Amino acid sequence: MNKPIQLALFFTLIITGCSNSSTSAEPKVADVKTTLFHQEKLEKELKKLKPVSLERKCESPLAAELGKRKAKEEAEKQRQIAAAKKREKEREAKRKKQQEEEAERQVELERQRQAARQKEREAQAQRQQTETRSSNSQHAPSSSNQTDDTIQQPAPELPDNDGYGYEERKKWHDDQVEWGIKQGYIDPEDAP
């Protein structure tokens, strides 16, 4: 039994005067002293005890079940919030990783474009050199005393058709001027 119940029963027995020794109407002196001592002791014990809420003891099973369900729902809600936060962190990490990969791809593409441009420039320079060599070898002047100034003379200064291959010389001259412009030897504004 609970201690408060035992004390309450003991206190009731003492107050009613039940005792095992005698049933006389007058209590003995020793019994009165013991009873007073026990009564005082019981009163002190009762003061020490904390009051017990009767509502808690009388709580219905339905209310207890409702409390359990509320606690379960709250725990589920907290679990869902934690799971949502975890999913959001995972999404953010995935998004950052994709952005980094995309940036790396862009850098690689730009590097490839620059390499392709460089190769194209080199190939174009190679073609120009090849064309220049082939045009120089085909249209080389017969006289080795001819200077660059005579090569760069504009076409109108050449004599009209003199019967000695005017058209070929004019074409060769124009090719030389065009080559000089491409190589940067001739300013395009000065060209005819």
Side-chain angles (χ1 to χ4, degrees):
M1 276 198 221
N2 289 340
K3 192 171 183 178
I5 296 173
Q6 288 176 344
L7 288 175
L9 286 174
F10 183 70
F11 185 67
T12 354
L13 288 174
I14 290 177
I15 291 178
T16 56
C18 296
S19 81
N20 294 336
S21 62
S22 67
T23 55
S24 65
E26 283 187 32
K28 296 179 181 173
V29 177
D31 288 340
V32 173
K33 286 182 183 177
T34 329
T35 307
L36 285 176
F37 173 76
H38 286 300
Q39 188 175 358
E40 288 174 4
K41 189 176 177 182
L42 285 175
E43 285 175 358
K44 285 180 186 177
E45 286 293 322
L46 281 174
K47 286 180 184 177
K48 288 180 186 177
L49 293 176
K50 294 179 182 177
V52 178
S53 171
L54 295 177
E55 292 175 16
R56 189 177 282 172
K57 289 183 180 180
C58 298
E59 191 175 86
S60 70
L62 188 59
E65 183 65 27
L66 183 62
K68 286 180 185 177
R69 282 189 182 177
K70 283 185 179 179
K72 216 182 241 187
E73 288 173 359
E74 185 64 28
E76 180 64 21
K77 188 188 251 184
Q78 292 300 324
R79 188 192 64 74
Q80 287 176 352
I81 290 171
K85 286 181 181 179
K86 183 179 177 182
R87 282 192 304 272
E88 184 61 31
K89 283 182 181 179
E90 289 172 353
R91 268 190 242 122
E92 185 64 29
K94 187 176 181 181
R95 189 172 29 248
K96 281 183 181 180
K97 185 177 179 182
Q98 286 176 344
Q99 288 174 346
E100 289 172 0
E101 289 174 352
E102 182 62 28
E104 288 175 7
R105 276 194 296 267
Q106 291 298 328
V107 167
E108 182 62 23
L109 283 173
E110 185 60 31
R111 188 187 66 72
Q112 289 174 356
R113 284 184 199 131
Q114 287 178 353
R117 281 189 222 126
Q118 182 65 28
K119 284 182 182 178
E120 180 64 32
R121 279 189 231 123
E122 289 172 1
Q124 190 175 14
Q126 187 76 20
R127 273 194 307 265
Q128 286 177 350
Q129 287 177 354
T130 307
E131 289 173 3
T132 305
R133 283 188 209 135
S134 67
S135 92
N136 282 342
S137 65
Q138 289 176 357
H139 304 291
S142 57
S143 154
S144 60
N145 296 336
Q146 193 174 15
T147 63
D148 286 336
D149 292 337
T150 58
I151 293 174
Q152 294 180 6
Q153 287 179 349
E157 293 177 9
L158 292 174
D160 289 339
N161 190 356
D162 58 0
Y164 295 105
Y166 171 76
E167 293 295 323
E168 290 82 14
R169 287 185 306 198
K170 184 174 188 237
K171 182 179 181 315
W172 178 82
H173 181 268
D174 291 343
D175 289 342
Q176 292 297 315
V177 171
E178 186 178 323
W179 178 83
I181 291 172
K182 286 181 182 176
Q183 295 298 319
Y185 298 130
I186 301 174
D187 189 13
E189 294 175 0
D190 295 338

